[in-house]
């Protein structure tokens, strides 16, 4: 067996590696090789592969056989290409040693620059560059970096020596120091290193090189890198590559420069060259912000009204070369690139290229433009947009230039920004909004009784509850910005104040929330309205061409249904009927129903609700015009509809003709320690079948009415919630079918309908095979399924989940992105068992996860027929579904 | 293919069937055949098999080919054996037609007697018996039964005719009517049947016979039978057999009699003949209670002080035969039998034998006696006792002869009976009990704060909460009788009263509860103390000889641990450390810990708890002397330790030096909507590692101390609760191991220990393979696993579960007997996945199910190493485990 190739050379117009060898060479190494092959000016160098890293750790930090020889050969190649030699007193070769993993891990691992300098070569560099200060400054930088990174000498040591020298010289800035100063400092550094480590600073460039390589490999396992990998889910087993490359200097005089650039505008997406540079500077200086960077182009400079000359003016020729590189790279990579370059004595060197980060707006424009330019296909364009990023485009945002008075941060529960007067009750929100006032509703937590106030408010802020608390779910559904679980807030309804770290703000004051970032600000901040440009529509057309899963919406109001339809929803996946029970004109009848002492009186109260509920469904069926509408029967425990405070009880008692005492008794009877696990869902329908019967009647009467006067057929799908056993389902299905038969007889019209269930309990998933004997569809209620699978209340554990994410216990909030390993296994198993019984069982998801791209991919893997999400997430789900379809197509 | 045998004959000293053909012939038919083969006097007859029933329903209620011929042949056999013919005017054969299913379904299906009578044969019967009244009474009875059962004529019709005849004759009782009256009535019955059905009453005995057979098969699907089968889990597919048998009459004069008997005393188990009979009577009369039945034996008569002569005196010869039959049957069946007999004109006929029901005490004595008598083996004896029935033997019971004033019924949450003064608070319970008063603690529901009161009380009564509510679980653990979820009770703490259906009872009044039946009675009722006779000890020795699974106990107090040890526990499977936190001297420090503003102050408070907690463990380790002790780290959410009412808050604030306001804020901060799914279990240990560290230190310091001065090694098993992911487990295990290492270093002593987890969340079950990488044992916490798998709070759904059982949706309460299909699948899967990773992972169960026999069998099937249950259920679990081992051995 021959020795594997551990080292890949690049530079001088060719390379052994290529861009697609990212796994072996890391991102940086692969792209350096690619640029070199393209004939772009890349300082020669070589990449030690990730396999060396893996072998190194596998054999207890020993290097594999053959590596040393291959490094020697590659070094000789650099020497030859550059025409300089390692350790040569006259013409010394200097190299950089950098990490480069498969995934970008910015700043997490170690780097050593200017390697090859020693007491002899520093003089050679001084002579060759004609700049002794540059040479000694470079040397002391190398000693410092090497001392810190390779030898583990604390950097305080070095700063102390520099400070001492500055003091002695009365100098304030580094630039006040001259060549001799840097020489003194370099000698001081070497002495300190010998003191600290017991060994002299290594003078042999080869020793230096191996020390640096080992340090970089070692840094794959430093604490920062380990934490970063855990947080970003980067497997430890990938390892890092190490890049050794000839140094080039942007700081050797005014014919030198260094810069970073994007091949297009990363903010707006326009096809213009966009970047900054500094004359006579090193890479760090551009980023460090000590000197003000200058624009690359005259257009850029003019646009920003800058006085500093553009590179296009200062170095027109080199700029021309750079611009050509830019065009070559875009044509080659077929995507916008983020590049680094250095100009050494009027010669352009390319140091890095990678795919550039961009705003959602820019991503959209670049993708569409590149399709127009023939650079990429429509399908590729679909892949270029991060679905989650669309959210930025669909909601009002805070003016980034406006001042803000940040109070605290909560969870970014529903995107968009809102400013308004603080109100602490839903009723006041409604009253003030009716007078045209913009209000922000502030609650410890919200409940279904607050819905009218949430609708009336511009935004919602809560101090308790997570990403899928009531406030968050409802706000997302309505498209209202919401910050939830802002735990630092002390909300006091009695005094009508909220307090943050001792600062008190009262009802009537203005407050701004940013539901995209979770920020809460005192006072108003101007907002910018979203513009859905033509690019958005263009992309969504391509999306729908490749998409296979349907996208429905969770909606129960005509407004939400219409919004979702405008966003491209293909039906309603979840209509929560209980939300229809809270309107002021209904809650009285609902309470009458709950307080009824027998079935007869309960039926009488339900009779009053029937026409209103029927009208709800008529409206939805009309809007959805032939698209399927899934209606869930009443789900929450009945106590949610009853008053809680003594004051409310008095009011309700008066209104409903029940004594306060009787009302209190009923409220106590219905109270539950764990309402999530209580008397709700199908359990209500089983114990009070008359409620399900009323709802079924409302559904079928509405369906008959709309099917009579509308062109399109109506497709109601009746959903029985919280089923844990086939018998529960069958009992209710029997009643629903009986009502349907009756209504069809009474009206002389039949409409097709389905009856199915929500799979939202672990037991329902396990028993899905049996349940599917009667159920024609399953809708995965992954909110509750996540709560029960984890035994984790989404209302109570916002803080805990934050801490779990912080500690890396949970990679993501399982209420935001589906827990594939646990909840996902149950979903898969239920889908399999359901299909085994009923191959055509319709499968969908209606939990919050329906609007989360990662979860949408999971749904595609399981082969669900549709996902359903809140109206404002419909475009996100469409895009994610399209990407999933493309991915599965291969 | 020859025709299958549809009909099995018996009688005349032989039979085609046998006792072991119960599935084919039903219980009654199989035993009639068996008795016949034994040469016992059985009236000849035949059984139409259950397969006919199955074929009948499978082919849309048509009988299979060949049945008719086989019935004819069997009928001819009866005619020949009896020497009478169907429809013979002189000597008519009369038969009974009875159902007989595989499992007993008493009274659910139909029966026809005296079949074969018509207008002609009635005269023959009158002549042959010399008793016209008997003949016409028999005929009218037959018409009435046949009319009701076969022809569907309402029985009011017949009663009306009898009443009219009585009125006309001025007669009050049936016995006032003579032969002519019954003839008039029989004629009236026939006319009414013709009016109602349009057809004359069938005169052909063969038509009668097929009508009756069809009616009996038809009754397999009547409403009563369907409901009974659903409730008793009898598959519809089993079908019933039909028995056609020659009639014998116990009502043909004073040389006739009828009776029922047990071959041993079913109440005490003594080996004496035990039964009742009536001279000149039919079977129904013994049961109906119109005449007072007489004792069989002189001894029985004397014992009860009866004046009525015993059968032994009245018919000594026939009694001698019967007694011989008794001895034969016991020898043959090797179990106590429940028999029915009729004496017709001094001839004994056996009509039924089956295994007799008996009390727990009798079962124990009979089993032990039969082993002594050489009738059965010790292993068989182990199988003869229903584990659940042992509960009757371990607790005080109400004197069955005492008067009781029943108020209402709740759930039989913890067995045993108790009387005492009503108190409504735990503190008062403790105070009064300290003065030697017997009290019953009455609460709407209990919480961990009530534990001291529950301990002090003789019994506990709650109006809310199911079989596994806090009250129920804790009471069972303590062996205190408890009735929970008595929903009719209105408990008012303010007025210190409880009201049931308008009847008010106040604190200070006496109340009695029976936790075995769920009854609640006003006033006192005398109780009987349990006697654990020698038979109990004998049986438990046999049990332990065959048992394979270990049985541990759930206990945290020395008293409970000692009780369990006395009952044979082999270690502690679950020590709930939070129960140790509520003692008056600790709760202050616990609250200080919770209210601490930072980790430092929290640690200071924990320092105070450490010595007390350590002493707890020292006590337990000493009692368990080398047996394994599983200690669960703190599990409940912290708010459970804080005060709830304003009054309590004031007290606690004063005591702990915190302002009421701060306390209120902290209580509100910690409040949870769904505490079951909240910040508890390992989540506490992760966010407050110092709590787990203190507990680990207490465990290891105690283990070291006891191992130093005790002979036996200490085996602590540290259990991390509510884990949903490997990372949670690993984080806490790391801390526990660190504390162990430290304590072992400090003390210079090492003790072996295990660290494991409770599998109590669906996700833990699914991820068990990963979790077992770090966990050395799993204990299935099936209470919480049932709650989360079903999404069902055991605290909130007692009423719902009752209703579910009533409607047959759940066969049994899943909190009582493990849900094999759902929760069970998760347990199996977790066991498999855990073992795949760690073949020797120790597996146990510590939910309430550990003491439920059906669940214990499930645990044996899965191959768990042990079950753990409350002390008083240890013997039950031992017996169930022994039976499971025998069953698995085959």
């Amino acid at each position: 067996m021959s020795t594997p190739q551990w080292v890949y050379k690049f530079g001088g117009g060719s390379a052994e590696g290529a861009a697609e060898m990212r796994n072996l060479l890391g991102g940086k190494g692969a792209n350096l090789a690619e640029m070199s092959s393209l004939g772009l000016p890349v300082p020669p160098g070589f990449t030690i592969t990730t396999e060396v890293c893996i072998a190194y750790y596998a054999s207890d930090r020993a290097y594999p056989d053959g590596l040393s020889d291959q490094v020697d050969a590659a070094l000789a190649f650099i020497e030859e290409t550059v025409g300089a030699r390692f350790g040569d007193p006259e013409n010394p070769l200097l190299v950089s040693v950098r990490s480069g993993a498969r995934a970008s891990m910015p700043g997490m691992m170690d780097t050593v620059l200017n390697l090859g300098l020693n007491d002899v070569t520093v003089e050679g560099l001084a002579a060759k560059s004609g700049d002794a200060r540059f040479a000694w400054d470079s040397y002391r930088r190398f000693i410092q970096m090497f001392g810190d990174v390779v030898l583990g000498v604390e950097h305080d040591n070095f700063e102390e020596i520099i400070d001492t020298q500055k003091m002695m010289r009365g100098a304030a800035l580094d630039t006040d120091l001259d060549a001799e100063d840097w020489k003194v400092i370099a000698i001081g550094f070497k002495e300190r290193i010998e003191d600290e480590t017991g060994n002299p600073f290594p003078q042999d460039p080869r020793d230096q090189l191996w020390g640096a390589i080992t340090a970089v490999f070692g840094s794959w396992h430093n604490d920062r890198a380990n934490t970063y990998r855990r947080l970003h889910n980067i497997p430890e087993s990938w390892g890092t590559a190490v890049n050794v490359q000839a140094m080039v200097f942007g700081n050797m005089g005014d014919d030198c420069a260094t810069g970073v650039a994007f091949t297009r505008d990363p903010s707006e997406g326009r096809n213009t060259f966009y970047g900054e540079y500094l004359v006579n500077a090193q890479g760090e200086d551009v980023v460090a912000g000590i000197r003000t960077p200058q624009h690359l182009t005259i257009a850029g400079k003019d646009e920003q009204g800058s006085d500093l000359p553009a590179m296009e003016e200062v170095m027109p020729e080199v700029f021309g070369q750079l611009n050509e590189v830019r065009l070559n790279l875009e044509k080659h990579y077929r995507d916008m690139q983020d590049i680094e370059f250095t100009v050494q004595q009027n010669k352009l060197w390319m140091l890095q290229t990678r795919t550039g980060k961009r705003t959602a707006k820019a991503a959209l424009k670049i993708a569409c433009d590149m399709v127009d330019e023939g650079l990429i296909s429509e399908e590729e364009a679909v892949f270029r947009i991060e679905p989650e990023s669309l959210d930025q485009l669909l909601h009002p945002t805070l003016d980034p230039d406006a001042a803000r008075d940040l109070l605290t941060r909560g969870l970014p529960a529903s995107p968009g920004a809102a400013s308004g007067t603080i109100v602490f009750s839903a009723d006041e929100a409604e009253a003030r909004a009716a007078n045209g006032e913009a209000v922000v509703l502030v609650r410890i937590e919200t409940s279904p009784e607050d819905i009218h106030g949430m609708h009336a408010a511009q935004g919602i802020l809560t101090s308790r509850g997570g990403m899928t608390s009531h406030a968050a779910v409802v706000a997302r559904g309505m498209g209202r910005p919401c910050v939830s679980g802002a735990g630092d807030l002390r909300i006091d309804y009695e005094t009508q104040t909220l307090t943050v770290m001792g600062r008190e703000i009262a009802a009537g004051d203005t407050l701004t929330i940013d539901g995209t970032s979770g920020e809460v600000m005192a006072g108003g901040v101007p907002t910018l309205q979203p513009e859905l440009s033509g690019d958005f529509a263009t992309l969504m057309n391509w999306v729908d061409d490749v998409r296979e899963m349907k996208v429905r919406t969770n909606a129960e109001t005509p407004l939400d249904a219409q919004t979702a339809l405008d966003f491209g929803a293909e039906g309603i996946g979840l209509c929560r009927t209980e939300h229809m029970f809270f309107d002021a004109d209904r809650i009285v009848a609902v309470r009458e129903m709950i307080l009824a002492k027998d079935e007869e009186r309960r039926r009488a109260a339900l009779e009053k609700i029937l026409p209103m509920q029927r009208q709800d469904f008529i409206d939805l069926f009309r809007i959805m015009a032939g698209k399927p509408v899934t209606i869930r029967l009443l789900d929450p425990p009945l106590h949610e509809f009853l008053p809680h405070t003594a004051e409310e009880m008095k009011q309700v008692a008066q209104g409903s003709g029940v004594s306060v005492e009787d009302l209190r008794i009923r409220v106590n009877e219905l109270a539950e320690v764990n309402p999530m696990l209580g008397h709700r869902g199908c359990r209500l329908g089983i114990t009070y079948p008359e409620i399900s019967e009323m709802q079924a009647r409302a559904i079928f009467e509405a369906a008959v009415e709309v099917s009579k006067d509308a062109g399109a057929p109506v497709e109601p799908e009746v959903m029985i919630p919280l089923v844990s056993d086939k018998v529960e389902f069958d009992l209710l299905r029997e009643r629903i079918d009986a009502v349907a038969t009756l209504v069809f007889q009474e009206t002389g019209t039949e409409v097709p309908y389905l009856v199915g269930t929500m799979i939202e309990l672990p037991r329902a998933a396990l028993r899905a095979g049996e349940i599917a004997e009667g159920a024609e569809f399953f809708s995965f209620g992954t909110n509750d399924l996540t709560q029960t699978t984890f035994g984790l209340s989404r209302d109570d554990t916002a803080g805990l989940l934050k801490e779990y994410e912080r500690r890396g216990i949970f990679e993501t909030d399982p209420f935001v992105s589906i827990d594939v390993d646990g909840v996902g296994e149950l979903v898969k198993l239920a889908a399999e068992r359901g299909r085994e019984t009923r191959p055509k069982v319709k499968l969908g998801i209606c939990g919050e996860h329906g609007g989360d791209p990662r979860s949408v991919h999971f749904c595609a893997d399981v082969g669900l027929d549709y996902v359903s999400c809140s109206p404002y997430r419909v475009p996100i789900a469409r895009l994610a579904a399209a990407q999933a379809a493309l991915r599965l197509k291969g």
Side-chain angles (χ1 to χ4, degrees), chain A:
Chain A
M1 219 180 74
S2 67
T3 309
Q5 182 169 359
W6 302 118
V7 170
Y8 285 74
K9 302 188 284 288
F10 58 79
S14 71
E16 295 176 337
E20 62 270 22
M21 293 163 75
R22 165 181 283 264
N23 292 358
L24 186 66
L25 305 179
K28 179 188 279 284
N31 282 322
L32 284 170
E34 188 79 10
M35 284 198 291
S36 203
S37 294
L38 286 175
L40 301 182
V42 173
F46 59 88
T47 305
I48 306 177
T49 69
T50 55
E51 286 175 354
V52 172
C53 184
I54 296 162
Y56 175 73
Y57 281 108
S59 50
D60 207 13
R61 304 206 178 209
Y63 287 114
D65 289 346
L67 175 64
S68 174
D69 291 347
Q70 292 185 25
V71 166
D72 285 347
L75 203 59
F77 160 77
I78 301 182
E79 290 175 331
E80 193 178 320
T81 311
V82 177
R85 274 199 314 110
F86 228 29
D88 188 315
E90 251 94 79
N91 190 17
L93 172 67
L94 303 191
V95 298
S96 63
V97 181
R98 287 186 168 97
S99 65
R102 202 192 290 193
S104 170
M105 293 173 57
M108 293 301 128
M109 285 179 292
D110 292 329
T111 295
V112 179
L113 301 179
N114 300 331
L115 188 143
L117 285 172
N118 57 24
D119 297 350
V120 177
T121 55
V122 67
E123 303 288 3
L125 183 64
K128 191 180 148 208
S129 65
D131 187 344
R133 184 182 184 284
F134 159 73
W136 282 102
D137 183 24
S138 297
Y139 189 29
R140 72 88 192 175
R141 280 175 195 261
F142 167 57
I143 300 169
Q144 189 171 351
M145 240 174 179
F146 193 93
D148 176 16
V149 164
V150 182
L151 304 174
V153 176
E154 295 279 344
H155 61 90
D156 300 353
N157 286 292
F158 306 116
E159 277 153 28
E160 185 194 320
I161 291 168
I162 296 177
D163 288 346
T164 309
Q165 184 66 16
K166 278 187 186 161
M167 220 161 57
M168 281 172 53
R169 294 291 310 260
L173 300 173
D174 285 6
T175 44
D176 298 336
L177 298 178
D178 63 16
E180 195 52 35
D181 292 325
W182 290 122
K183 186 171 178 178
V184 171
I185 287 169
I187 291 164
F189 279 7
K190 286 192 296 165
E191 281 168 359
R192 180 63 66 93
I193 282 173
E194 189 159 358
D195 286 353
E196 290 284 321
T197 67
N199 291 309
F201 186 78
Q203 292 291 317
D204 181 339
R206 276 202 160 60
D207 291 348
Q208 294 173 355
L209 181 63
W210 281 104
I213 290 170
T214 301
V216 173
F217 278 135
S219 68
W220 177 247
H221 270 288
N222 69 29
D223 289 347
R224 276 175 309 163
N226 286 341
T227 305
Y228 187 92
R229 275 200 303 277
R230 204 174 61 227
L231 292 178
H232 292 78
N233 202 20
I234 298 173
E236 186 202 306
S237 63
W238 282 1
T240 182
V242 172
N243 296 292
V244 178
Q245 193 177 18
M247 287 292 300
V248 289
F249 296 95
N251 56 344
M252 280 174 76
D254 287 346
D255 54 357
C256 298
T258 191
V260 296
F262 292 88
T263 56
R264 302 194 185 206
D265 167 9
S267 170
E268 301 286 327
R270 290 167 309 169
N271 191 358
T272 54
F273 203 8
Y274 184 101
E276 297 172 331
Y277 83 111
L278 279 174
V279 170
N280 195 11
Q282 280 200 313
E284 305 89 280
D285 303 336
V286 183
V287 187
I290 299 168
R291 289 165 56 190
T292 306
Q294 300 161 240
H295 287 274
L296 286 189
T297 62
I298 299 171
K301 171 189 138 186
D302 291 349
E303 202 174 289
Q304 298 290 319
S306 166
D307 293 334
L308 299 167
M311 184 180 181
E312 195 174 357
E313 299 166 286
V314 176
M315 311 179 155
E317 201 176 327
V318 180
F319 174 80
Q321 290 165 18
L322 183 63
N323 198 33
E324 208 154 305
V325 167
R326 167 202 169 212
L327 299 173
N328 277 335
L329 284 176
E330 273 219 344
K331 197 175 283 171
H332 182 71
Y333 281 100
R334 301 159 60 250
D335 201 357
M336 187 263 266
Q337 296 293 299
D338 168 359
I339 60 181
E340 291 178 22
F341 64 90
T342 283
V343 180
Q344 178 177 334
Q345 292 162 327
N346 276 323
K347 168 135 183 64
L348 175 69
W349 293 102
M350 298 304 301
L351 296 182
Q352 166 128 316
T353 188
R354 57 183 173 191
T355 303
K357 296 212 187 305
R358 62 206 80 179
T359 63
K361 195 173 169 186
L364 205 56
K365 177 157 174 57
I366 290 171
C368 291
D369 284 355
M370 285 193 168
V371 171
D372 282 351
E373 294 160 20
L375 272 178
I376 59 173
S377 69
E378 293 172 1
E379 293 194 351
E380 280 174 299
V382 167
F383 258 120
R384 289 288 167 86
I385 314 295
E386 187 63 48
E388 199 60 63
S389 73
L390 289 185
D391 223 20
Q392 294 175 28
L393 304 177
L394 305 175
H395 295 280
T397 48
L398 290 180
D399 182 345
D401 300 327
R404 22 185 114 178
D405 176 5
L406 187 66
L407 282 176
T408 185
R409 244 173 232 282
L411 298 172
S414 178
S419 286
T421 308
I422 296 174
V423 294
F424 289 104
S425 82
D427 289 342
E428 197 183 345
E430 198 175 45
R432 288 199 181 221
N435 289 331
E437 196 171 348
V439 299
V440 172
L441 176 62
V442 180
R443 302 280 304 166
I444 296 173
E445 55 199 336
T446 63
S447 76
E449 288 172 71
D450 298 320
I451 300 231
H452 62 295
M454 298 172 75
H455 226 287
Q458 297 295 307
I460 298 118
L461 169 63
T462 71
S463 60
R464 198 183 286 162
M467 292 295 289
T468 46
S469 62
H470 179 267
V473 172
V474 173
R476 282 201 291 277
M478 292 175 174
R480 289 288 172 287
C482 174
V483 172
S484 71
D488 291 339
L489 294 183
R490 287 279 146 75
I491 295 170
D492 192 332
Y493 295 141
E494 269 174 53
T495 60
Q496 292 271 301
T497 56
L498 61 88
T499 318
V500 197
M501 324 252 185
R503 186 164 165 196
E504 191 176 292
I505 298 186
D509 291 352
T510 300
L511 192 78
T512 300
I513 62 168
D514 184 346
T516 310
S517 68
E519 287 176 335
V520 180
M521 289 139 282
V525 179
T527 55
L528 307 175
Q529 287 308 305
E531 262 179 83
L532 295 186
S533 73
D535 288 335
F536 179 78
T538 306
L539 182 87
M540 292 314 282
N541 274 336
W542 299 336
V543 157
D544 289 344
D545 285 346
V546 297
R547 184 159 58 86
E548 297 201 337
M549 268 194 306
K550 300 269 180 196
V551 175
R552 300 196 196 176
T553 191
N554 302 346
E556 38 275 333
T557 66
L559 181 65
D560 286 349
Q562 189 60 53
T563 305
L565 200 67
D566 295 345
F567 278 136
E570 295 163 294
I572 290 181
L574 176 61
C575 162
R576 306 174 191 86
T577 51
E578 58 271 20
H579 285 191
M580 302 164 161
F581 278 33
F582 281 98
D583 280 6
D585 53 337
R586 302 178 184 196
I587 188 76
V588 175
V590 171
R591 285 172 174 164
E592 203 179 309
M593 184 265 290
I594 296 170
L595 297 172
K597 295 212 187 269
D598 51 40
E599 188 183 323
E600 195 185 334
R601 274 179 262 196
R602 202 152 47 234
R603 284 195 185 273
L606 286 164
E607 274 301 312
K608 296 184 197 169
I609 304 171
L610 174 63
M612 307 189 249
Q613 179 102 91
R614 183 173 53 222
Q615 190 58 46
D616 294 331
F617 299 138
I618 289 174
D619 293 345
L620 289 182
F621 291 150
R622 288 236 165 89
I623 290 168
M624 281 295 147
K627 296 190 167 63
V629 175
T630 305
I631 297 165
R632 179 175 72 183
L633 300 183
L634 190 68
D635 186 51
L638 295 182
H639 55 75
E640 284 203 7
F641 299 98
L642 292 182
H644 296 107
T645 66
E647 188 49 42
E648 285 173 321
M649 279 202 223
K650 219 160 84 186
Q651 281 177 10
V652 170
Q654 282 169 352
S656 57
V658 179
S659 76
V660 173
E661 181 51 21
D662 277 0
L663 179 58
R664 197 177 62 82
I665 287 173
R666 185 77 177 134
V667 166
N668 282 342
E669 270 177 2
L670 290 175
E672 293 182 315
V673 182
N674 292 293
M676 157 68 206
L677 309 174
H679 194 158
R680 50 172 288 237
C682 70
R683 298 162 193 167
L684 286 175
I686 285 170
T687 45
Y688 305 107
E690 51 279 7
I691 300 178
S692 306
E693 283 172 11
M694 181 280 286
Q695 294 200 294
R697 177 165 282 275
I699 292 167
F700 293 119
E701 287 182 352
V704 164
E705 177 165 339
V706 175
S707 81
K708 273 183 177 164
D709 64 13
V714 177
E715 286 189 48
E717 300 182 350
V718 183
M719 181 149 73
I720 302 174
L722 212 74
V723 161
S724 72
D725 193 279
K726 170 185 164 51
V727 179
E728 293 175 317
F729 181 85
D730 291 350
L731 273 176
L732 281 172
R733 150 131 236 180
E734 208 173 293
R735 290 197 179 257
I736 292 161
D737 287 340
V739 172
T741 307
L742 213 60
V743 171
F744 298 160
Q745 275 170 5
E746 288 164 9
T747 60
T749 307
E750 284 204 17
V751 293
Y753 68 96
L754 301 178
V755 183
T757 186
M758 226 156 151
I759 301 285
E760 54 188 326
L761 297 174
R763 197 174 192 279
L766 295 168
R767 306 309 294 162
E770 282 183 351
I771 294 169
E773 287 170 21
E776 289 158 310
F777 66 86
F778 288 167
S779 178
F780 290 98
T782 46
N783 295 349
D784 279 1
L785 191 58
T786 301
Q787 295 199 79
T788 47
T789 303
F790 277 93
L792 200 61
S793 163
R794 61 185 190 188
D795 293 323
D796 297 314
T797 50
L800 183 76
L801 282 174
K802 246 196 217 164
E803 186 148 352
Y804 264 42
E805 278 189 82
R806 197 177 58 70
R807 291 175 183 247
I809 299 174
F810 289 166
E811 211 178 289
T812 50
D813 183 337
F815 292 111
V816 172
S817 195
I818 196 161
D819 158 46
V820 174
D821 289 342
V823 176
E825 180 173 359
L826 289 176
V827 169
K828 246 188 270 184
L829 192 142
E832 282 164 18
R833 293 186 180 180
R835 285 200 181 110
E836 208 162 292
T837 301
R838 185 189 289 270
K840 302 218 148 177
V841 63
K842 204 188 249 194
L843 300 176
I845 185 176
C846 63
E848 283 293 298
H849 300 101
D852 167 65
R854 230 183 63 162
S855 309
V856 170
H857 276 262
F858 168 79
C859 294
D861 290 343
V862 178
L864 300 192
D865 298 301
Y866 68 87
V867 300
S868 187
C869 56
S870 55
Y872 279 84
R873 293 195 78 85
V874 166
I876 296 169
R878 283 162 69 198
L879 175 53
Q883 293 182 350
L886 288 173
R887 183 176 52 76
L888 287 176
K889 232 168 63 179

